[in-house]
Amino acid sequence: MKILIKNGRVVDPANKIDANMDILIEEGAISEVSKNIKAPGAEIIEAKGMIAAPGLIDMHCHLREPGREDEETLLTASRAAVKGGFTSVCAMPNTTPACDNQSVVGFIMSEGKRIGLCNIYVVGT
C-alpha cells in the first residue's frame, strides 16, 4: 500500500529540512520526501497547513500509575502523548508506590510495551 502525504510542512532538523514537501510511504516506511511526488494508485492525504516532523519526546511526565489510576493510567497517558505527536515519554518516579525498585520499574516498562502506543521510559529515584 502506498500513502502520499501532499503539501505539508516537513520539519526534519537531522536533514536540515523545513519546507513544504510531499512524503511517500510505501509498505509502512517513508520512501521519499520531495516536492511534487507522483505516485499512481497511492492513497492521498492533503496536509496543507499541517506539519510533519519526527516524533517528539516528553522528558518529564507524571503518569500516576501505579497508585493513582483515578487520575491517569499508562494507557490514557499514552493516548494523550500520541495525539500530541509524542512517540516517547519519560515517567517521573513520584508514583505511589514510588518508582524506586525493580518491581515498580518492571511493571511500568512491561505495561508500556503491552500498550504499545508509544515508548515509555522510566526515570527512577
Side-chain angles (χ1 to χ4, degrees):
M1 171 188 228
K2 293 182 191 177
I3 300 172
L4 180 57
I5 302 172
K6 299 284 293 175
N7 306 310
R9 179 178 170 195
V10 176
V11 178
D12 182 358
N15 292 301
K16 297 184 169 85
I17 298 173
D18 185 352
N20 289 333
M21 303 179 91
D22 300 341
I23 301 170
L24 180 60
I25 301 169
E26 297 180 282
E27 298 180 24
I30 295 173
S31 61
E32 184 178 354
V33 178
S34 64
K35 294 184 183 237
N36 302 313
I37 297 174
K38 305 290 186 228
E43 175 186 344
I44 296 176
I45 298 172
E46 179 57 49
K48 186 174 183 178
M50 298 181 186
I51 296 173
L56 303 171
I57 301 171
D58 190 333
M59 297 293 296
H60 188 116
C61 291
H62 296 275
L63 301 185
R64 302 298 177 212
E65 187 176 4
R68 291 305 313 264
E69 292 84 356
D70 59 311
E71 290 188 8
E72 181 172 56
T73 65
L74 295 172
L75 175 61
T76 60
S78 295
R79 286 179 179 160
V82 169
K83 285 215 175 227
F86 290 84
T87 57
S88 300
V89 296
C90 298
M92 294 293 104
N94 61 337
T95 54
T96 306
C99 186
D100 63 357
N101 63 66
Q102 185 175 357
S103 175
V104 177
V105 171
F107 166 77
I108 294 170
M109 293 190 69
S110 65
E111 185 67 4
K113 285 179 185 170
R114 185 191 68 75
I115 292 167
L117 295 175
C118 67
N119 299 309
I120 297 177
Y121 299 107
V122 179
V123 177
T125 57

